[in-house]
C-alpha cells in the first residue's frame, strides 16, 4: 500500500521469504491451529471459522462468511471482525515458514462495506523477512476471488519462542494444550498468532 507506515516497510537488508520444505502443499487446507481460536477454531460458536489453504510460494488463500453475530452496523460486518479475519489470515502464513510468530503491527484499510451473508475471499503473502521480523500483506474481496477489494492490510509479525505463550497465557488453557495427547494438535496450538 502506498500509505503504509514506515514501521511496515521492510529494511534494506530484508530478504525474500523462503517456504519451509515441510510446509503444507499448495491447495492443502491448513485447518485450525487451536480449537478455541476465535479466528479459525471450530469450538468457538461465534468465531470466524476461517478456512485457509496453502498457496504457491509463501502465500495462502482463505474464506470467511460474515454471520449475523459478526455485524456492527445493521446488516454489515463489524470493522474489528474484518480486521480479525485479516489478522488470522496473515498469521496463518507463518505455518508456511514453520515459524512461531505474533502480530506486532497491523494496518487495515476498509475500502467498502461487507454485508452479512457475504463470503470474504482473502489472499495473503509474506513479502520479506528481516531477522525476527516477518512482513506480510493481505486483501479481502467480495463477490468472488477476483471481485472488488473490500479490505486490505499490511502487517509485521515477530518471531517468538513457545515460552511467549506459556509465560503469558492463562494457565488452564496452556495446561490443556500441553496435555493434549495428539502431538500434532499440541504443537500446532502454539504455531501461529493467537
Amino acid at each position: 500500500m502506498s500509505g503504509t507506515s514506515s514501521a511496515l516497510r521492510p529494511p534494506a537488508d530484508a530478504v525474500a521469504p523462503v517456504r519451509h520444505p515441510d510446509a503444507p502443499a499448495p491447495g492443502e487446507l491448513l485447518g485450525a491451529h487451536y480449537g478455541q481460536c476465535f479466528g479459525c477454531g471450530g469450538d468457538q460458536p461465534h468465531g470466524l471459522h476461517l478456512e485457509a489453504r496453502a498457496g504457491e510460494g509463501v502465500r495462502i488463500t482463505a474464506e470467511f462468511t460474515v454471520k449475523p453475530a459478526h455485524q456492527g452496523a445493521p446488516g454489515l460486518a463489524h470493522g474489528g471482525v474484518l480486521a480479525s479475519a485479516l489478522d488470522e489470515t496473515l498469521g496463518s502464513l507463518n505455518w508456511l515458514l514453520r515459524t512461531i510468530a505474533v502480530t506486532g503491527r497491523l494496518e487495515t484499510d476498509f475500502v467498502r462495506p461487507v454485508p452479512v451473508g457475504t463470503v470474504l475471499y482473502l489472499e495473503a503473502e509474506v513479502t520479506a523477512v528481516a531477522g525476527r521480523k516477518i512482513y506480510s500483506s493481505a486483501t479481502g474481496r467480495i463477490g468472488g476471488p477476483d471481485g472488488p477489494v473490500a479490505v486490505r492490510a499490511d502487517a509485521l509479525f515477530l518471531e517468538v519462542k513457545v515460552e511467549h505463550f506459556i509465560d503469558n497465557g492463562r494457565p488452564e488453557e496452556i495446561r490443556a494444550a500441553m496435555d493434549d495427547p495428539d502431538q500434532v494438535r499440541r504443537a500446532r496450538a502454539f504455531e501461529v498468532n493467537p
Side-chain angles (χ1 to χ4, degrees), residues 28-63:
E28 189 175 328
L29 188 64
L30 300 184
H33 72 90
Y34 178 57
Q36 290 295 325
C37 175
F38 177 77
C40 66
D43 298 338
Q44 282 287 343
H46 297 298
L48 305 183
H49 302 165
L50 188 134
E51 292 190 349
R53 291 189 181 280
E56 298 291 334
V58 191
R59 300 176 69 98
I60 67 163
T61 59
E63 291 183 13

Side-chain angles (χ1 to χ4, degrees), residues 16-20 55-60 93-97 124-127 129 134 136-137:
V18 177
R19 183 189 187 101
H20 193 279
E56 298 291 334
V58 191
R59 300 176 69 98
I60 67 163
L93 287 165
N94 297 312
W95 178 235
L96 301 181
L97 299 173
E125 69 175 322
V126 176
T127 56
V129 176
I134 301 163
S136 54
S137 63

